[in-house]
């Protein structure tokens, strides 16, 4: 997160980029630390609701460890798949998501790396980290994440 300043403004956390030796250059993305389910504000107009679910939608409860970080996508982000690692940029391009919308796809991360690319918030399919141990086990439940109001101002800029 080098080059970013995080601010707490009115109960919301925002991130701003900083030019080398210069003043701030506006919103550079979002980064939200999650220790448990709840409803959280992102910037001034967006929110995120994290909840437990049994309906089969969301991230399996046994596929991650707390705490989690919900954040903007960064250059170089990769997620584990069945044959190795795949760049999120490439996954988003293959999904057919328009170029301008790709920077809006939120990323969910735990201490072991990226857990999910949450493209469903943009009308596309979510992508989850591959874990062969989970294939044969029934899920103990799911963690749902509902995003509202994520706009370009809150997305990571390249």
């Amino acid at each position: 997160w080098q080059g970013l300043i995080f601010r707490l403004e009115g109960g919301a956390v925002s991130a701003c980029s900083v030019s080398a030796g210069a003043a701030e250059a506006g919103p550079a993305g979002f980064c939200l630390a999650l220790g448990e389910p709840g409803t959280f504000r992102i910037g001034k107009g967006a929110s995120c609701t994290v909840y437990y679910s049994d309906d089969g939608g969301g991230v399996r409860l046994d596929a991650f460890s707390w705490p989690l970080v919900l954040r903007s996508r960064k250059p170089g982000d990769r997620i584990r798949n069945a044959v190795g690692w795949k760049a999120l940029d490439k996954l988003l391009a293959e999904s057919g998501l328009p170029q301008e919308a790709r920077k809006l796809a939120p990323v969910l991360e735990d201490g072991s790396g990226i857990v999910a690319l949450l493209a469903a918030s943009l009308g596309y399919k979510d992508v989850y980290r591959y874990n062969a141990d989970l294939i044969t086990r029934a899920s103990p439940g799911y963690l749902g994440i509902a995003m509202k109001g994520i706009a370009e101002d809150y997305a990571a800029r390249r």
Side-chain angles (χ1 to χ4, degrees):
W1 296 95
Q2 186 177 29
L4 294 179
I5 290 180
F6 293 93
R7 277 197 196 132
L8 181 61
E9 298 173 15
V13 175
S14 63
C16 298
S17 63
V18 178
S19 301
E24 299 169 26
F30 65 90
C31 181
L32 182 64
L34 305 171
E36 61 185 26
T39 298
F40 307 92
R41 281 186 32 194
I42 300 172
K44 295 181 182 178
S47 67
C48 167
T49 301
V50 179
Y51 57 94
Y52 291 121
S53 171
D54 290 325
D55 69 4
V59 182
R60 288 174 58 128
L61 293 177
D62 55 356
F64 67 89
S65 59
W66 294 99
L68 293 168
V69 173
L70 183 66
R71 63 170 174 82
S72 302
R73 196 169 50 86
K74 299 185 298 187
D77 277 345
R78 302 177 312 145
I79 193 166
R80 186 140 187 74
N81 64 19
V83 294
W85 295 88
K86 191 150 195 178
L88 297 189
D89 288 338
K90 189 166 186 165
L91 282 170
L92 289 167
E94 290 171 355
S95 75
L97 190 64
Q99 178 74 29
E100 282 303 305
R102 292 178 198 163
K103 60 187 165 188
L104 304 178
V107 171
L108 186 66
E109 188 172 24
D110 68 5
S112 298
I114 294 175
V115 175
L117 172 65
L118 303 174
S121 64
L122 302 170
Y124 290 80
K125 185 179 176 184
D126 289 340
V127 177
Y128 300 100
R129 175 171 61 199
Y130 178 78
N131 184 336
D133 296 336
L134 303 181
I135 293 173
T136 58
R137 293 195 318 228
S139 174
Y142 298 87
L143 187 71
I145 299 174
M147 305 285 294
K148 292 184 182 174
I150 295 296
E152 183 173 348
D153 288 345
Y154 301 114
R157 294 191 178 157
R158 293 183 181 217

